[in-house]
């Protein structure tokens, strides 16, 4: 009986080095983000809002700054600075995904952040601002409007914290 041997997998072709699932998550985030922004932009005029629940509205607003409109009135340079920051973040995240592809929670978090960052970079490049439309509020106090990309970045950041807490507890 002949002995059969399976070819050895190289480090880059094994589960550890595959980027496909993580890039897939990022692409899903980008598509969801861009499709919702297109839909809102077609259904609403700038500044127009619609009540959905007692604590949530849809409203079309533009953000030329960063989170919470930070530096929105800075004169235009922030568009390119935040675009460059998003691209650099995407490159670093790509490297981390490749290097740690076997760490599910960590890579899921990074993939969400990657998709969100690139979703907002696309807006900055195409329109010069980020399209926001999710408006949560309590009575007359409104949280700054945000979008699907921002949500993915936030969930990704929370998952990074959880992953680190899990890692620290596991090392005790």
């Amino acid at each position: 009986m002949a002995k059969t041997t399976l070819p050895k997998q190289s480090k880059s072709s094994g589960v550890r080095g595959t980027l496909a699932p993580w890039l897939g998550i990022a692409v899903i985030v980008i598509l969801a983000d861009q499709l919702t922004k297109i839909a809102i932009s077609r259904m609403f005029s700038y500044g127009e809002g619609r009540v959905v629940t007692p604590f949530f509205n849809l409203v079309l607003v533009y953000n030329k700054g960063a989170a919470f409109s930070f530096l929105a009135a800075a004169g235009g340079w922030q568009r390119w600075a935040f675009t460059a920051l998003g691209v650099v973040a995407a490159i670093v995240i790509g490297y981390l995904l490749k290097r740690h592809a076997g760490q599910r929670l960590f890579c899921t978090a990074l993939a969400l952040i990657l998709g969100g960052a690139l979703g907002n970079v696309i807006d900055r490049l195409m329109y010069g601002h980020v399209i926001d439309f999710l408006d949560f509020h309590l009575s007359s106090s409104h949280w700054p409007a945000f979008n699907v990309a921002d949500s993915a970045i936030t969930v990704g950041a929370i998952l990074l914290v959880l992953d680190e807490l899990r890692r620290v507890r596991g090392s005790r």
Side-chain angles (χ1 to χ4, degrees):
M1 188 180 238
K3 190 175 184 182
T4 57
T5 57
L6 297 173
K8 292 183 180 179
Q9 285 188 332
S10 71
K11 206 177 203 183
S12 62
S13 67
V15 172
R16 181 174 183 268
T18 185
L19 288 173
W22 315 124
L23 295 180
I25 291 170
V27 167
I28 289 168
V29 169
I30 292 167
L31 288 173
D33 178 61
Q34 292 300 306
L35 291 173
T36 55
K37 289 173 179 174
I38 290 167
I40 292 295
S41 295
R42 290 187 177 176
M43 293 171 40
F44 291 82
S45 300
Y46 177 78
E48 179 184 359
R50 194 168 298 147
V51 175
V52 178
T53 72
F55 59 87
F56 172 65
N57 302 326
L58 291 173
V59 60
L60 177 60
V61 294
Y62 303 144
N63 181 357
K64 292 184 179 188
F68 311 114
S69 295
F70 175 68
L71 294 175
W77 63 267
Q78 72 277 22
R79 172 187 183 185
W80 303 111
F82 292 134
T83 299
L85 181 62
V87 170
V88 169
I91 291 166
V92 170
I93 289 171
Y95 169 78
L96 291 171
L97 286 172
K98 180 71 173 165
R99 182 156 183 187
H100 302 281
Q103 298 176 22
R104 291 181 142 201
L105 186 58
F106 180 69
C107 289
T108 299
L110 290 179
L112 290 169
I113 294 168
L114 176 63
L118 291 177
N120 284 339
V121 163
I122 291 168
D123 280 15
R124 290 184 198 289
L125 290 173
M126 289 180 58
Y127 313 115
H129 56 261
V130 174
I131 297 170
D132 289 331
F133 58 91
L134 300 170
D135 175 37
F136 285 87
H137 58 90
L138 182 60
S139 187
S140 63
S141 300
H142 289 255
W143 187 259
F146 57 98
N147 57 44
V148 172
D150 299 333
S151 300
I153 292 168
T154 301
V155 170
I158 291 167
L159 291 177
L160 279 179
V161 170
L162 292 174
D163 182 60
E164 186 58 26
L165 289 173
R166 185 184 66 157
R167 196 179 332 272
V168 167
R169 285 188 183 145
S171 69
R172 287 184 185 175

